Amino acid sequence: MLRSSQPLTGPNRRRCREDELLLGTVLDEEERGFIIDTRSAQAAKQARMSGGGTEPKAFYPRWRRLHRPLERGRPLQESFIRLVEACNESSISMDRWLSRLESCRWLSHVKAALSTACLAAQCLDREKAKVLVHGAEGTDTTLLVTALAQLILEPSCRTLLGFQGLLEREWIEAGHPFHLRCAHSAYSHARLKQEAPLFLLFLDCVWQLSRQFPFSLEFSEHLLLTLFDSAYASAYGTFLCNSEKERCLCKVKENTHSLWAWLNQPGERKKYLNPLYTHNPLVIWPSVEPQSIQLWQGLFFRWIRSSQYLDEAWAEIQHLVESS
């Protein structure tokens, strides 16, 4: 599986023979590959006017392009804000709640992300084909898809350490602009153009996987909540800045502590483990039917509903596992 930004073909359909050669050498003789573009066909066409575009079929004859549009900007942020507002409205009827939940479209974004990741995983696992994923810059929905596809396919990514490595490789080192995307939370009155909860959407999709496969992920919901908090406000430098270049210029590693170093301390690590975990060497195919996608109550209701009883239940489960 490969990832990149969009090709810069522009309105004159410029060619890049080095790129054509590179993608050609990826494929074995007589093999075909899939390009999953996370923009709509119309958006990709419009991008040509500003210098971007897609891979022309004539110059990439062994690659089949599939468009799977995923929101990455203002619509996604507005969806997040409307969901948080609905969750925090205490006096609301059932009909009104269901209507607001549907209108915010957050669960539709979750379904779309999981569906696209499953498509990439199926191309790799069942078709035994090479896959290239890209959107516009390759630092938002591209990373969402590639990271989820690896979780679905690769058991090692479902361990606590493997998941940390996945985040480091597919989000931090790959250049997701955390500072721009997570400048404010959904509670802020600011409406910044660059803000969008792409990383939160990823964490929500991971939670959906953990709910559908409760024994297959070594880490618990507590880790996902901690990562959400750390992306927006943290005492650690792991999610600072917008790129590796910025982190080097700001000397983040020299001047801050790593979140991973703290999580992996023996006394802390235990808090983030799933006591029900059993190694599963198989691919985990999530259901993306509407009935299977649920609201992440542990996150979106965490400020209005106590988690005391759930925490006590998990502590009891952990105790039973350790004493057995």
Side-chain angles (χ1 to χ4, degrees):
M1 182 163 60
L2 311 170
R3 51 174 163 76
S4 71
S5 59
Q6 65 181 324
L8 303 180
T9 55
N12 297 323
R13 295 181 178 270
R14 292 189 299 269
R15 295 181 63 177
C16 179
R17 297 183 186 276
E18 292 82 2
D19 187 64
E20 296 168 19
L21 178 63
L22 176 63
L23 288 188
T25 56
V26 167
L27 302 176
D28 296 328
E29 189 175 352
E30 303 300 325
E31 188 179 24
R32 302 181 69 84
F34 293 93
I35 297 173
I36 298 178
D37 196 323
T38 60
R39 304 166 296 174
S40 67
Q42 182 62 28
K45 185 178 179 180
Q46 290 175 348
R48 289 210 304 265
M49 303 310 297
S50 56
T54 59
E55 295 82 358
K57 292 181 181 179
F59 306 137
Y60 298 84
R62 297 166 63 193
W63 289 87
R64 179 186 175 191
R65 191 171 66 249
L66 305 172
H67 289 277
R68 293 295 184 272
L70 299 175
E71 293 289 355
R72 71 183 187 101
R74 180 64 65 84
L76 187 62
Q77 178 68 7
E78 292 296 331
S79 175
F80 176 38
I81 291 171
R82 290 197 300 271
L83 175 58
V84 169
E85 290 173 346
C87 290
N88 287 306
E89 188 172 329
S90 55
S91 56
I92 187 171
S93 67
M94 175 63 77
D95 290 344
R96 178 66 174 158
W97 159 248
L98 292 176
S99 175
R100 292 191 66 175
L101 180 61
E102 180 182 13
S103 65
C104 75
R105 299 193 67 249
W106 180 260
L107 295 184
S108 296
H109 297 309
V110 172
K111 172 182 167 59
L114 282 172
S115 297
T116 306
C118 284
L119 173 63
Q122 286 170 354
C123 291
L124 288 161
D125 182 67
R126 296 180 177 176
E127 300 294 330
K128 307 300 180 185
K130 306 297 193 302
V131 175
L132 168 63
V133 183
H134 71 65
E137 287 81 20
T139 56
D140 289 300
T141 52
T142 301
L143 308 182
L144 175 65
V145 172
T146 58
L148 286 174
Q150 290 175 68
L151 265 179
I152 292 169
L153 293 171
E154 181 51 56
S156 65
C157 292
R158 301 177 216 140
T159 66
L160 181 60
L161 285 176
F163 188 61
Q164 293 174 32
L166 179 72
L167 297 180
E168 187 73 29
R169 179 178 68 252
E170 295 299 315
W171 287 92
I172 299 171
E173 293 177 355
H176 180 65
F178 281 98
H179 179 68
L180 287 174
R181 299 291 183 262
C182 303
H184 296 84
S185 72
Y187 290 94
S188 171
H189 294 294
R191 295 293 187 268
L192 302 180
K193 185 178 180 181
Q194 297 287 339
E195 192 164 6
L198 267 301
F199 187 62
L200 167 59
L201 181 58
F202 167 73
L203 295 177
D204 198 328
C205 291
V206 176
W207 179 82
Q208 303 290 337
L209 288 172
S210 71
R211 189 188 61 78
Q212 293 189 27
F213 301 92
F215 304 103
S216 296
L217 276 66
E218 188 185 25
F219 49 89
S220 67
E221 179 187 43
H222 185 34
L223 176 67
L224 301 179
L225 294 173
T226 299
L227 292 171
F228 165 73
D229 292 338
S230 297
Y232 282 92
S234 177
Y236 302 89
T238 303
F239 296 113
L240 289 180
C241 303
N242 293 310
S243 65
E244 279 295 282
K245 180 180 179 180
E246 284 189 15
R247 279 184 281 275
C248 289
L249 290 174
C250 296
K251 297 184 178 180
V252 168
K253 290 183 179 179
E254 292 84 353
N255 296 326
T256 68
H257 294 286
S258 166
L259 175 63
W260 312 135
W262 174 66
L263 289 178
N264 292 322
Q265 295 178 96
E268 291 295 327
R269 187 176 187 276
K270 183 179 177 181
K271 300 176 184 177
Y272 301 98
L273 294 176
N274 172 14
L276 301 177
Y277 172 70
T278 302
H279 174 70
N280 179 3
L282 304 175
V283 176
I284 54 174
W285 296 110
S287 170
V288 293
E289 295 298 321
Q291 300 90 334
S292 301
I293 307 297
Q294 295 190 11
L295 182 65
W296 185 4
Q297 298 183 31
L299 174 66
F300 294 111
F301 291 157
R302 67 191 296 203
W303 292 283
I304 61 173
R305 191 173 69 188
S306 173
S307 63
Q308 174 188 350
Y309 299 114
L310 185 60
D311 294 339
E312 290 175 354
W314 273 107
E316 181 63 24
I317 291 172
Q318 189 164 17
H319 175 71
L320 291 172
V321 170
E322 291 174 349
S323 60
S324 61

